Amino acid sequence: MNEIISGLMLGFGFGFVLERAGFGNPNKLTGQFRFTDWSVFKVMFTAIVFTAIGLMALKYLGYIQIDQLFVPPAFLGAAALGGALVGVGFSIGGYCPGTSIVGLMSGRIDAGIFLIGLLLGTVIFSLAYPVIESVTSLGEYTQGDTLMVLLNTSDIYINIAMVIAAIAIFIFGGWIEKRSSGTVCSK
């Protein structure tokens, strides 16, 4: 029961942050695909870097043991195919599963329609799963579960590279935003 309650509380908090960041608005999300608004990429990249550095800090402080964390196997082919399908839906509808719920809770009817389509797609996927199950494990990568193992290097070097990449993306994204035609508007 505690896991359900903590999951609901974290989900509510995440949704609140998404709404406050404006991600419940499809114009904001569509702007990312048009390279006119890099907010989504910047927020997600920042979250990844923050989590990676936080995990490293907790490891060195002795609060967690990295080898005890679950790292799911990498199915690169399935991830590429699924990512492309989600990306198409995301760019057409302007929502991802999480932001569609945020948009609906904010009173957006289009988010509700997107969510209905998402649920229909989920039902179709579950009905087709026995036929397409082999596609879901396409391209399993077995050379290493993490970048540290794959590259045979320390987490410090991985995190330094991620921080440098984040700074470069922030500069590059800001440069493209300034040269774009402006944010997407539904008016």
Side-chain angles (χ1 to χ4, degrees), residues 9-22:
M9 290 175 62
L10 287 172
F12 179 81
F14 183 63
F16 179 78
V17 170
L18 286 177
E19 173 56 27
R20 297 304 305 157

Side-chain angles (χ1 to χ4, degrees), residues 68-126:
Q68 299 296 314
L69 296 177
F70 173 70
V71 178
F75 299 110
L76 300 182
L81 180 61
L85 291 172
V86 168
V88 168
F90 193 89
S91 61
I92 292 172
Y95 293 105
C96 73
T99 57
S100 67
I101 293 172
V102 170
L104 181 64
M105 293 299 115
S106 301
R108 297 191 66 95
I109 295 172
D110 58 340
I113 294 169
F114 183 90
L115 197 55
I116 290 170
L118 188 145
L119 294 173
L120 285 173
T122 302
V123 169
I124 292 170
F125 177 82
S126 67

Side-chain angles (χ1 to χ4, degrees), residues 81-172:
L81 180 61
L85 291 172
V86 168
V88 168
F90 193 89
S91 61
I92 292 172
Y95 293 105
C96 73
T99 57
S100 67
I101 293 172
V102 170
L104 181 64
M105 293 299 115
S106 301
R108 297 191 66 95
I109 295 172
D110 58 340
I113 294 169
F114 183 90
L115 197 55
I116 290 170
L118 188 145
L119 294 173
L120 285 173
T122 302
V123 169
I124 292 170
F125 177 82
S126 67
L127 292 174
Y129 186 77
V131 177
I132 63 171
E133 183 178 0
S134 62
V135 176
T136 62
S137 59
L138 192 66
E140 182 176 8
Y141 191 77
T142 58
Q143 302 303 314
D145 294 332
T146 65
L147 288 175
M148 294 177 299
V149 173
L150 176 67
L151 301 174
N152 192 26
T153 188
S154 165
D155 52 359
I156 292 174
Y157 296 121
I158 298 293
N159 285 330
I160 288 172
M162 289 178 59
V163 168
I164 292 171
I167 292 169
I169 289 294
F170 271 64
I171 293 170
F172 180 70

Side-chain angles (χ1 to χ4, degrees), residues 31-111:
Q32 179 63 63
F33 288 98
R34 300 179 74 183
F35 302 115
T36 58
D37 187 342
W38 284 66
S39 301
V40 175
F41 194 88
K42 291 175 182 174
V43 167
M44 294 303 172
F45 206 150
T46 301
I48 291 168
V49 171
F50 179 80
T51 301
I53 292 173
L55 285 173
M56 183 182 70
L58 291 173
K59 180 187 90 172
Y60 286 115
L61 292 173
Y63 286 106
I64 62 169
Q65 295 179 348
I66 292 293
D67 59 341
Q68 299 296 314
L69 296 177
F70 173 70
V71 178
F75 299 110
L76 300 182
L81 180 61
L85 291 172
V86 168
V88 168
F90 193 89
S91 61
I92 292 172
Y95 293 105
C96 73
T99 57
S100 67
I101 293 172
V102 170
L104 181 64
M105 293 299 115
S106 301
R108 297 191 66 95
I109 295 172
D110 58 340

